[in-house]
Structure formats: structure tokens, C-alpha cells
Amino acid sequence: LLVSVNQDQTCNAYWNGESINFFVEGAGCANTARLGDVVYHEYGHGVHQNAIIPGVGAMSVSLSEGVSDYLAAPIVHDSGTARGFFLGSDEPLRELDPVDWEWSWPEDIGEVHDEGRIIGGSYWDLRSQLSNKYGAVAGVALTDRLWFQAIRRATDIPSAYFETLIADDDDGDLTN
């Protein structure tokens, strides 16, 4: 995987379909290559792109933003993506699990990063619920399996919900 760092722009990073790319510090933003969850997030776009089953799933930008935020969150054990992105602040760039609030469809659709919080937050919540039900190790493993199977087949955020249910189904009854 080609990784380019210290590119002569600020306040961003990106996956271009073949490599991950990070910008220098400036304009009030940290060097994005130095933030682990930004690195994991950009790598997540590559995981998503390469996981898609041709002819079944499809790349959706907002879905990819959310599932990439989710990929980073469990690695750093934090629902707040990119803490330290803004110099002098510990506030996250995006929060998957805001206090007293849940991101929801279609109320929170719009800009792709914001919209991605709907699916990213849903997987973060699922991880918490399954960890409470089955224990941390089994709950996280199940969530990650469901996440991966869904991103292989989903075409957008709404279809990711159904693909998650189908990935979890072992008896033909989606209600359980």
C-alpha cells in the first residue's frame, strides 16, 4: 500500500483508490499522518473498496465515510474520531456516540462525513450492545464480522442495515 505523507495541503487526508495520503500541519490542523485514527479511517476506505462483492455491493461515499470511522473507533477505543485534529483541542473531528443524541436516517442526511455518522454510530452502538450481551471479546468479534459482511454487499447506508441483519441471520427469522 502506497502511503504519501506531508503533502502540501492542510486539514485533510484521503484515499484515492490506490493509496492513502496525508497533509502537513497548518491552518489550525495537525499533520494528519500523525493521528492514528485518521490513518485507520483512510485505510478503511481501502478495506471497503476491496471488500465489495462485484455486482452485489457498491461504493457509496457516505457509507464509506461511516464504515471507515467505525473501523478506526474500536482500534483506538474511542467513539470520537480524530481527537487532536484541531491543534490545541481534544475535541473529536466527528463523534459516533454523542451524549443524549443518536444520528438517524433520514433526519441527518446531508454532507457525506456527517451522513456517515449514521452508520458509524449504529455500528458503535451495536458493538456496545453485543459486548454487554456476549462479553467484550465475543461482542466485538461479532460486530466486526457483521460490519465486514455488510460492507461487502451494501450499496448505501439504508441497505447496510438490512445486510447486517442478513449477515446475522442463522434461522431465516430476522426478528430474532
Side-chain angles (χ1 to χ4, degrees), residues 15-26:
W15 162 258
N16 69 4
E18 297 178 2
S19 65
I20 52 179
N21 304 271
F22 303 95
F23 295 171
V24 297
E25 179 178 307

Side-chain angles (χ1 to χ4, degrees), residues 127-151:
R127 175 184 185 261
S128 297
Q129 292 170 3
L130 292 177
S131 292
N132 288 338
K133 183 174 183 176
Y134 298 115
V137 173
V140 168
L142 178 54
T143 305
D144 290 349
R145 182 180 66 77
L146 297 174
W147 170 88
F148 184 71
Q149 293 305 319
I151 69 169

Side-chain angles (χ1 to χ4, degrees), residues 33-94:
R34 294 185 176 185
L35 299 170
D37 43 356
V38 173
V39 174
Y40 304 138
H41 169 92
E42 296 307 330
Y43 183 78
H45 289 299
V47 171
H48 181 210
Q49 176 183 322
N50 288 288
I52 295 170
I53 299 171
V56 178
M59 180 60 85
S60 158
V61 177
S62 57
L63 173 63
S64 195
E65 290 299 335
V67 300
S68 296
D69 277 353
Y70 175 75
L71 177 72
I75 294 171
V76 299
H77 306 288
D78 188 355
S79 63
T81 301
R83 290 188 193 278
F85 181 88
F86 302 109
L87 295 175
S89 173
D90 194 38
E91 290 298 311
L93 180 61
R94 288 184 294 279

